[in-house]
């Protein structure tokens, strides 16, 4: 392999070029990024950035040291075998790493802010003036974080969510309902079961015709993989670039990583979209190994965190529909608690923890090992999660 092109200069793209050099690739290396900036971290954009605590989340990267030919502000526009077409100079490749991430899902109408990039975060930050009426659409992770920051900045905040409870993309109602009181306690009005039909410059119109006026509207209703530039190419794309557990795409010499990839997971027997920082961090090393011809498999227990209303919320795994819930602590009373999705044969399929980071780390490890747990021990907050392994004295 003599010329590798990495498309997308986010965390996954940066990790890919770093891994290529770390794993001994010595050929030409090109990094293309549509944004005008060197790679930066996105999680702080809804946290420190909006609170004015942080201005720059640029990731450490020295293109000269790694001998990377970087092109910022250049967008890939098409793909043919051996050639990436761009809005600048086209790039020939014999190895290609697709790391174009995701872009926000948009609602009908004009107006409203979408928060994905550093430029978006600066615009939203400037709009969060004390006393401003802020309307957030979506009570998922992003919506909750924006609401947290806006309330702390002295805005009057309303969150509109179409589902009955917060975080419906991951949490069933019986779990998500325990997140709802956090909004009121932070002075944020949460309106559930209300669908926004249109975003307007002066607010939003609900599906029932009601108009909710606001000075600022911020929409956080999910993302979709940034695959528009692959339309018309024979690469297999279906809600993400389809890859196997080795991260190889449907063409030779092409791998995909991070938010853009839809990876087949043997562990869960389904396709998994990254959409989390941890995946963008770790998948590229495996993808590079594949590209360099070293057999590899990447099939972790997915992990995401969210900092909302003064709490560290962490989630790992995939909540299987037939799993039962095991509670650790009482969410209606205890400031910290956890809940586990446990399969019929007593294995942890997923875990949600609130201000219990150690529980999360241990549960994720047990899930990764496919360990069987004792449900009474797992439910006992005084026993460490790792000690709940059935019949063990860990
Ligand atoms: C505001 C915010 C807060 C978040 N907070 C958390 C959190 O707390 N915890 C967590 O686990 N995850 C969080 N995430 C998710 C996490 O940041 C993403 O999963 C991660 O950034 C994915 O990295 P990536 O490199 O795959 O994609 P991206 O970060 O999206 O990078 C892809 C890059 O490719 C570029 N690109 C796209 N199309 C093209 C093209 N055609 N040509 C060239 N370049 C292109 C894009 O401009 C972008 O710069 C957050 C995301 C956002 C937006």
């Amino acid at each position: 392999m003599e010329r590798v092109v990495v498309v997308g200069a986010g965390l996954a793209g940066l990790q890919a070029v770093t891994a290529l050099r770390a794993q001994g690739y010595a050929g030409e290396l090109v990094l293309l990024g549509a944004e005008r900036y060197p790679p930066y971290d996105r999680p702080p954009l809804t946290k420190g950035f909006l609170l004015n605590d942080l201005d720059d989340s640029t990731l450490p990267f020295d293109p000269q040291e790694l001998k990377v030919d970087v092109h910022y502000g250049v967008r890939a526009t098409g793909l043919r075998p051996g050639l990436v077409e761009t809005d600048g100079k086209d790039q020939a490749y014999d190895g290609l790493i697709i790391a174009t991430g995701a872009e926000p899902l948009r609602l009908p109408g004009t107006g409203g802010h979408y928060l994905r990039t550093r430029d978006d975060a600066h615009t939203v930050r400037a709009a969060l003036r004390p006393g401003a009426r802020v309307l957030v659409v979506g009570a998922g992770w992003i919506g909750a974080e924006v609401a947290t920051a806006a309330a702390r900045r002295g805005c009057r905040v309303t969150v509109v969510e179409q589902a009955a409870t917060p975080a419906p993309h991951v949490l069933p109602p019986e779990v998500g309902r325990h997140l709802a009181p956090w909004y009121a306690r932070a002075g944020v009005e949460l309106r559930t079961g209300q669908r926004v039909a249109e975003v307007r410059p002066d607010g939003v119109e609900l599906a029932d015709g009601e108009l909710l006026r606001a000075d600022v509207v911020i929409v956080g209703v999910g993302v979709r993989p940034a695959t528009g530039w692959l339309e018309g190419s024979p690469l297999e794309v279906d809600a993400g670039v389809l890859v196997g557990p080795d991260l190889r795409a449907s063409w030779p010499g092409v791998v995909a990583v991070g938010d853009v990839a839809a990876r087949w997971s043997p562990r869960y027997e389904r396709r998994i979209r990254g959409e989390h920082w941890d995946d963008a961090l770790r998948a590229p090393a495996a993808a590079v190994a594949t590209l360099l011809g070293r057999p590899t498999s990447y099939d972790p227990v997915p992990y995401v965190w969210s900092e909302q209303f003064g709490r560290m919320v962490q989630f790992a795994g995939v909540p299987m529909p037939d799993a039962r819930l095991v509670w650790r602590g009482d969410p209606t009373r205890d400031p910290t608690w956890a809940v586990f999705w446990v399969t019929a044969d007593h294995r942890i399929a997923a875990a949600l923890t609130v201000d219990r980071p150690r529980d999360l780390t241990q549960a994720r490890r047990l899930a990764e090992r496919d360990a069987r747990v004792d449900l009474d021990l797992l439910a006992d907050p005084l026993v460490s999660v790792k000690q709940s392994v059935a019949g063990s004295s860990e």
Side-chain angles (χ1 to χ4, degrees):
M1 194 157 289
E2 288 169 4
R3 192 165 210 273
V4 175
V5 174
V6 178
V7 184
L11 176 62
L14 171 62
Q15 291 293 100
V17 295
T18 309
L20 277 158
R21 292 306 188 212
Q23 293 184 34
Y25 171 70
E28 271 186 82
L29 182 50
V30 177
L31 176 65
L32 300 180
E35 291 182 72
R36 296 173 288 130
Y37 308 109
Y40 60 88
D41 233 359
R42 287 181 209 280
L45 299 182
T46 36
K47 305 175 181 74
F49 256 73
L50 293 189
L51 291 168
N52 262 334
D53 292 343
L54 185 78
D55 228 17
D56 187 7
S57 59
T58 304
L59 292 159
F61 174 40
D62 183 345
Q64 278 180 342
E65 191 189 319
L66 290 181
K67 297 197 176 61
V68 186
D69 179 15
V70 294
H71 300 262
Y72 300 133
V74 172
R75 183 173 286 278
T77 53
L79 180 63
R80 288 194 271 138
L83 190 75
V84 176
E85 296 166 340
T86 84
D87 56 8
K89 190 171 144 254
D90 292 351
Q91 299 286 345
Y93 71 85
D94 53 15
L96 174 65
I97 301 182
I98 297 177
T100 45
E103 49 208 16
L105 285 170
R106 299 200 167 248
L107 292 178
T110 52
H113 299 285
Y114 293 82
L115 212 168
R116 181 76 193 176
T117 67
R118 179 175 171 161
D119 290 343
D120 298 337
H122 278 119
T123 308
V124 171
R125 177 161 85 180
L128 297 183
R129 285 185 294 275
R133 286 171 309 169
V134 172
L135 196 143
V136 179
V137 186
W141 302 143
I142 295 284
E145 293 191 353
V146 171
T148 300
R152 284 215 195 131
R153 300 271 312 266
C155 304
R156 290 178 286 153
V157 190
T158 301
V159 177
V160 180
E161 165 59 56
Q162 70 172 0
T165 50
H169 60 303
V170 245
L171 304 180
E174 62 267 41
V175 177
R177 71 190 178 91
H178 294 295
L179 278 53
W182 301 348
Y183 289 72
R185 270 181 234 145
V188 173
E189 184 192 5
L190 173 65
R191 297 177 64 146
T192 53
Q194 300 191 340
R195 194 171 66 77
V196 169
E198 189 183 342
V199 180
R200 304 168 27 146
D202 60 345
V204 299
E205 191 177 320
L206 299 178
D208 64 7
E210 189 186 351
L211 179 65
L212 302 181
R213 290 194 189 278
D215 302 311
V216 187
V217 177
I218 302 149
V219 183
V221 293
V223 294
R224 63 157 171 252
T227 53
W229 65 285
L230 294 167
E231 268 167 34
S233 89
L235 200 68
E236 280 180 37
V237 172
D238 179 13
V241 176
L242 299 187
V243 295
D246 56 1
L247 302 165
R248 197 190 299 273
S250 60
W251 269 2
V254 182
V255 292
V257 285
D259 284 8
V260 76
R263 172 175 54 83
W264 178 255
S265 163
R267 180 192 297 278
Y268 298 106
E269 295 182 333
R270 64 174 70 178
R271 288 216 172 265
I272 295 202
R273 285 236 314 268
E275 287 188 16
H276 307 319
W277 185 89
D278 184 69
D279 190 68
L281 183 80
R282 302 207 290 158
V288 162
T290 292
L291 201 62
L292 299 181
R294 300 181 191 122
T296 188
S297 177
Y298 174 78
D299 193 16
V301 171
Y303 164 69
V304 62
W305 84 95
S306 169
E307 295 164 38
Q308 46 182 282
F309 307 112
R311 294 168 180 82
M312 173 59 97
V313 180
Q314 294 169 290
F315 186 85
V318 171
M320 306 307 264
D322 54 348
R324 65 188 263 196
L325 296 178
V326 174
W327 296 88
R328 183 174 169 86
D330 179 350
T332 61
R333 216 187 43 211
D334 301 330
T336 77
W337 51 272
V339 60
F340 305 91
W341 284 251
V342 180
T343 59
D345 59 354
H346 293 193
R347 298 175 207 278
I348 296 175
L352 173 79
T353 64
V354 177
D355 281 335
R356 296 186 72 92
R358 190 170 301 156
D359 285 1
L360 193 285
T361 308
Q362 294 181 5
R364 190 183 187 199
R365 270 197 211 123
L366 296 188
E368 225 131 27
R369 273 172 42 196
D370 224 6
R372 295 188 59 170
V373 289
D374 178 301
L375 303 191
D376 291 332
L377 294 176
L378 188 63
D380 185 345
L382 299 177
V383 176
S384 74
V385 169
K386 66 179 178 188
Q387 283 176 318
S388 70
V389 173
S392 103
S393 55
E394 275 193 62

